[in-house]
Amino acid sequence: MSGRDGRAGQDVLRRVGEASVLILISLADGPKHGYALIQDIKELAGVELGPGTLYGALDRLERLGLIESLPADDRRHPYRITAPGAAALRVHLESLERVSAAGRLRLQLGGI
Amino acid sequence: MDESRATRLVQNALRCYPARWRRRHGEEAAELAALLLRDGTPAGSIAFSYLAGATREWLTPRPGRRLRLAACALLVTAGSLGLSGGLLPSTAPARAAVTSQPHGPAHCRPGPPEPGPGVIPAIGGPHVIGWETGHGRAC
């Protein structure tokens, strides 16, 4: 999958890093600008993204076509998840669910 | 840290980004830093995050940057080839002199002149003196 077409099946988010995944999750319910993203991710996952990390991840996601920048509102650029971005996030979350279910099952079987 | 110093620190960190990045995100990043400072985030931590981001930004290969690097490398290679090509003719006579020495007449060869009768040759003396103090004949 090239990342831009958003075909289901392959997990393109596996290698983009946690910050990028958290940004996509935060954008899943609507467009947000940088400050709102930092606040939302702090609330959602307890992770405080540094502004440098945030812009690095936003650039990467935009290059991959997973998010897009909307026209500036004052000096702030809101970002929106694209259709390929939503598809990629869905695939990634399903993959995480499978791994997490397998992990829980093995813990049960192991009796730990 | 007072507000103006904190702002200056963050602005200095933002200056470390490439110009292209600053054109795209500069104002927004400064605004975001101001909001984070207002919330009580330490200026040092914001500046450090931007510095780390700037380092990553410079180190991340971009298609345009790769092309520029390749062009620079090509220019340097061409320049060094041209330079060595220019040096070759200038060193040729010197090499020719060195290689032709054994074939020339004995009085043109480098080395000490034949000692005259009763003259003890200096051991390990500089040979070039012998070349310059030949018989005064053009070689």
Side-chain angles (χ1 to χ4, degrees):
Chain A
M1 176 169 157
S2 70
R4 284 194 180 276
D5 54 14
R7 278 202 309 263
Q10 288 183 36
D11 188 2
V12 286
L13 295 180
R14 189 180 291 173
R15 292 204 176 115
V16 296
E18 190 192 9
S20 299
V21 174
L22 289 173
I23 288 170
L24 281 180
I25 293 172
S26 177
L27 292 177
D29 68 348
K32 290 182 187 69
H33 52 72
Y35 181 70
L37 277 168
I38 289 179
Q39 298 300 317
D40 188 43
I41 289 168
K42 195 169 162 185
E43 224 171 272
L44 175 86
V47 174
E48 257 187 86
L49 280 190
T53 310
L54 175 83
Y55 283 113
L58 286 173
D59 277 346
R60 198 176 315 126
L61 289 170
E62 209 174 356
R63 271 202 307 277
L64 289 168
L66 304 179
I67 63 167
E68 62 190 359
S69 165
L70 296 173
D73 160 28
D74 194 13
R75 287 203 291 178
R76 304 172 193 179
H77 276 279
Y79 292 88
R80 174 170 64 192
I81 193 167
T82 59
L89 180 61
R90 204 164 284 123
V91 169
H92 185 69
L93 293 178
E94 279 165 10
S95 161
L96 286 182
E97 273 166 18
R98 275 198 304 275
V99 171
S100 126
R104 276 197 300 271
L105 183 67
R106 286 183 186 200
L107 278 172
Q108 258 181 355
L109 291 173
I112 302 168
Chain B
M1 189 182 290
D2 65 66
E3 202 184 317
S4 68
R5 270 188 72 187
T7 310
R8 245 194 341 264
L9 183 67
V10 172
Q11 278 172 350
N12 285 336
L14 284 173
R15 279 195 200 105
C16 296
Y17 276 95
R20 178 192 50 78
W21 188 97
R22 275 183 279 141
R23 277 194 298 275
R24 170 93 172 77
H25 296 297
E27 281 193 4
E28 189 186 1
E31 166 115 358
L32 173 59
L35 290 169
L36 291 173
L37 283 171
R38 197 197 58 193
D39 283 356
T41 311
S45 129
I46 298 170
F48 181 77
S49 177
Y50 277 141
L51 275 178
T55 309
R56 268 196 306 271
E57 194 63 30
W58 279 107
L59 294 178
T60 305
R62 306 226 178 274
R65 199 177 296 162
R66 221 177 284 168
L67 200 67
R68 273 202 301 276
L69 273 176
C72 281
L74 203 64
L75 204 67
V76 167
T77 310
S80 62
L81 282 177
L83 189 69
S84 48
L87 283 175
L88 275 176
S90 65
T91 55
R95 269 195 295 158
V98 169
T99 51
S100 68
Q101 282 157 16
H103 305 295
H107 68 268
C108 292
R109 286 182 196 159
E114 292 294 318
V119 177
I120 302 164
I123 299 168
H127 289 196
V128 70
I129 292 173
W131 174 257
E132 285 175 352
T133 56
H135 305 285
R137 285 155 61 179
C139 297

